[in-house]
Amino acid sequence: MPTVVLLDVSLSMLRRLQVVDEQEGLLQRRHLAIQGLYAFFDHLSSKFKLEFTALVAFSSLWEIAVPFTRDYELLKQGCMSVDVYDKTCFENALTGVAAHVVEEWGTSVPVQIILVTDGSLGSGVGSLKELLDHRSENANRPLPFPFPSKLHVVCVANPAEMTGNFLLFQQLCDMNGLGGSVYVPEAPISVHSVQNCFLRLAQTHYISYEGVLNCGHLSSKITLSPPPDFSVSWNTVLQSYRKDRKENKIRRFPNEINICGFLDTVDVSSPASISRHLVIPIGKDGEGAPEDDGKAPSFCVLLHGSLKVEKMVAIVQIDSDWFGFLHSWADSKKKSNLVLATFAPGAHISWLGDFKQLGPSSELNPCPYRESEDGEKEERPFPCAPSQRRSYNSQANVAWIKPSGLQSDVQKVLRYAKRLPDKQGQFFKELNRIRRAALFFCFLELLDSLAMMLEKESGKVKPEAAIQLQHAASCLRSAPYHQLDNSITPTLE
């Protein structure tokens, strides 16, 4: 899970604090915050080497001190190289973080946001009090973020100074709606207590995953990167893909992942996935397998090589109605990785059928994999007509959407919306086309955004056209129309 560290570099961070473990007795809050961040970065570098972290500095304006990187030494240098500026403005800082994350990761990847400040609220426009007081009036408010996230606040201050401000910072975390906490160093203030404050945050919200991958009597201890998050953010992503909005089941990633069977890559095609994780075997000491341990047999390595050579995937069961698949993914010609992709909760994929009804092909008579009558090609049990296929490339395991094509599709729908009711037939035809495309990729955020655009457009057209636009927006958010077979039709009201 990517992390953004939002560091306050306003003048108030130059205020000194009385510390108990320094000869001088006084240290700037900025220096204490940097010492705490050093400990935080050291923890991430030892436990989460593959995670990306960015450093953003802010005062009245904001700047990207270090873009997303895995180089923690570069992040440490960025903390020291940032200059100190003027007043604190929380609104601009949070708006900048949202823009940077959306540009790098989009709106579906869960992100941790860590705000490091001195506990002061700021003054005037952009202050914390002003942000909280006008949150219902400001339509362009930065919170909640447009992506799954947790917002945490670390205040480098004495607990006595935070008596009145603590609840305000907690309200800031609650505005994001997906969890988050406020951390204050324990008294008496020292470099060690500040470092422990950051480590408490890391140990609470950065939990590595260790589990077992099973296939019959073969097994291997593994870790996943990024680790599945058991928090609200993870379940929020799952919730957006559920067809039944009344389902309240909280999904938990199990400690054991069981392989159900194997399919050819061409049969699996490219189903929508809600998360992808690198599968890394771990040694007896709980760390990643060392290089000198290459002679030790590993089922995980055997599985990876077999899937790569045979061009197959392994179907795994995560929960009673939650499945995924393991496949070999290469980011270059020389290096490949074993990747776990998790499907949306549910036991059914249209071109594969119900997973619970799949079984060994050798037990079927006749075997579904057999040569055709002319002997030129093999018949397969998963015939898919081209119009039903959910992939541009049957050999690829990732589906991409070009921003330019997506923008042109949305603009076409809006052009017909402005010409209602004359273009009513064309409007609903294009609306259903883009709806089906979004459902193929589980791109439900597109449906929400399109619904907002139609609602906004309904205030600019004739009353009879506004009724159709509001009806279409309501259908885009309705669970029954998240089924491929249910098309949106004009309302007769």
Side-chain angles (χ1 to χ4, degrees):
M1 182 184 298
T3 299
V4 178
V5 176
L6 189 56
L7 179 61
D8 187 353
V9 292
S10 61
L11 291 173
S12 60
M13 289 291 284
L14 296 179
R15 292 184 298 159
R16 296 178 180 271
L17 271 176
Q18 182 72 38
V19 294
V20 297
D21 56 354
E22 294 292 329
Q23 294 180 356
E24 296 84 355
L26 293 173
L27 273 181
Q28 291 182 5
R29 298 169 191 248
R30 176 174 176 243
H31 292 155
L32 287 171
I34 291 174
Q35 290 294 327
L37 286 173
Y38 277 15
F40 177 73
F41 292 147
D42 288 338
H43 178 84
L44 294 187
S45 64
S46 63
K47 300 290 185 180
F48 302 92
K49 297 179 181 179
L50 300 179
E51 294 295 343
F52 286 91
T53 305
L55 177 65
V56 177
F58 77 98
S59 54
S60 60
L61 302 176
W62 63 276
E63 64 173 336
I64 301 173
V66 181
F68 283 100
T69 180
R70 291 172 175 166
D71 187 349
Y72 289 98
E73 292 301 321
L74 184 62
L75 290 165
K76 291 180 180 180
Q77 295 174 13
C79 291
M80 294 299 300
S81 62
V82 175
D83 293 328
V84 177
Y85 296 99
D86 48 5
K87 58 175 279 187
T88 303
C89 182
F90 292 101
E91 185 171 352
N92 286 344
L94 297 172
T95 302
V97 167
H100 183 49
V101 171
V102 170
E103 180 181 1
E104 291 290 332
W105 300 99
T107 59
S108 60
V109 176
V111 179
Q112 299 269 21
I113 312 293
I114 300 175
L115 170 61
V116 183
T117 183
D118 61 335
S120 62
L121 306 180
S123 60
V125 178
S127 66
L128 180 58
K129 235 175 179 180
E130 195 266 350
L131 178 61
L132 294 174
D133 291 342
H134 297 86
R135 52 187 165 181
S136 60
E137 303 172 6
N138 186 4
N140 298 320
R141 60 185 183 276
L143 295 179
F145 288 117
F147 45 84
S149 61
K150 278 188 174 182
L151 174 61
H152 310 289
V153 180
V154 180
C155 297
V156 183
N158 279 309
E161 296 177 317
M162 294 297 298
T163 303
N165 297 350
F166 186 90
L167 291 178
L168 295 178
F169 279 105
Q170 185 59 56
Q171 289 180 34
L172 180 68
C173 297
D174 295 340
M175 276 182 67
N176 197 36
L178 296 176
S181 305
V182 180
Y183 292 84
V184 180
E186 296 179 354
I189 294 295
S190 64
V191 173
H192 184 66
S193 69
V194 173
Q195 291 175 337
N196 283 340
C197 179
F198 279 87
L199 290 177
R200 275 192 288 123
L201 185 153
Q203 293 166 0
T204 303
H205 298 284
Y206 291 81
I207 303 174
S208 60
Y209 172 86
E210 291 186 7
V212 179
L213 177 63
N214 295 319
C215 181
H217 66 279
L218 298 175
S219 63
S220 178
K221 291 185 177 180
I222 60 169
T223 183
L224 300 180
S225 178
D229 186 5
F230 304 145
S231 64
V232 178
S233 297
W234 174 256
N235 286 293
T236 300
V237 175
L238 296 181
Q239 184 67 34
S240 67
Y241 289 94
R242 292 177 182 151
K243 306 303 182 187
D244 186 2
R245 301 302 182 185
K246 296 181 180 179
E247 181 183 356
N248 294 320
K249 183 178 180 181
I250 300 299
R251 302 284 177 172
R252 300 291 184 185
F253 217 88
N255 293 327
E256 290 191 6
I257 302 174
N258 299 309
I259 295 179
C260 305
F262 301 88
L263 289 173
D264 292 331
T265 301
V266 67
D267 290 335
V268 175
S269 190
S270 182
S273 61
I274 59 175
S275 68
R276 291 186 294 273
H277 312 269
L278 290 178
V279 180
I280 305 171
I282 56 177
K284 296 179 180 179
D285 57 354
E287 300 292 337
E291 294 181 1
D292 58 357
D293 197 30
K295 297 181 179 180
S298 171
F299 166 64
C300 193
V301 175
L302 172 65
L303 176 66
H304 180 204
S306 301
L307 295 178
K308 182 178 179 181
V309 172
E310 297 296 331
K311 295 182 179 178
M312 301 184 77
V313 301
I315 303 297
V316 299
Q317 185 170 11
I318 303 171
D319 201 351
S320 59
D321 61 342
W322 190 12
F323 293 83
F325 71 103
L326 293 164
H327 64 96
S328 177
W329 177 80
D331 55 359
S332 64
K333 293 183 179 180
K334 296 183 179 180
K335 185 178 180 181
S336 62
N337 301 281
L338 184 62
V339 174
L340 168 64
T342 62
F343 301 141
H348 185 273
I349 290 182
S350 57
W351 63 94
L352 293 177
D354 192 338
F355 281 111
K356 296 180 180 179
Q357 296 181 1
L358 294 179
S361 59
S362 59
E363 295 184 0
L364 299 178
N365 189 17
C367 179
Y369 291 93
R370 61 183 185 274
E371 291 186 355
S372 59
E373 295 180 357
D374 55 11
E376 295 183 356
K377 60 181 180 178
E378 184 184 47
E379 293 184 0
R380 316 185 72 85
F382 301 105
C384 294
S387 61
Q388 296 176 329
R389 210 155 185 79
R390 273 55 164 173
S391 172
Y392 293 119
N393 181 2
S394 62
Q395 298 297 327
N397 289 310
V398 180
W400 300 96
I401 300 175
K402 291 183 178 181
S404 57
L406 182 61
Q407 183 179 7
S408 63
D409 287 341
V410 173
Q411 288 176 340
K412 190 173 184 180
V413 172
L414 293 179
R415 284 199 302 270
Y416 286 134
K418 294 177 180 178
R419 299 175 65 183
L420 287 175
D422 297 336
K423 296 292 183 178
Q424 181 170 288
Q426 294 91 328
F427 168 75
F428 281 97
K429 179 181 177 180
E430 289 301 321
L431 182 67
N432 282 301
R433 188 177 70 84
I434 197 171
R435 180 189 64 88
R436 287 175 59 85
L439 293 175
F440 284 160
F441 298 108
C442 277
F443 191 7
L444 299 191
E445 294 87 351
L446 175 60
L447 300 184
D448 289 335
S449 300
L450 188 57
M452 292 174 61
M453 294 179 190
L454 295 180
E455 288 177 342
K456 185 177 181 180
E457 194 66 32
S458 65
K460 306 176 183 178
V461 296
K462 300 177 181 179
E464 58 270 23
I467 294 175
Q468 299 296 339
L469 293 180
Q470 292 171 0
H471 165 71
S474 177
C475 291
L476 289 174
R477 294 193 176 102
S478 179
Y481 293 97
H482 290 180
Q483 301 287 347
L484 289 172
D485 298 334
N486 296 340
S487 298
I488 301 176
T489 57
T491 179
L492 301 178
E493 295 181 2

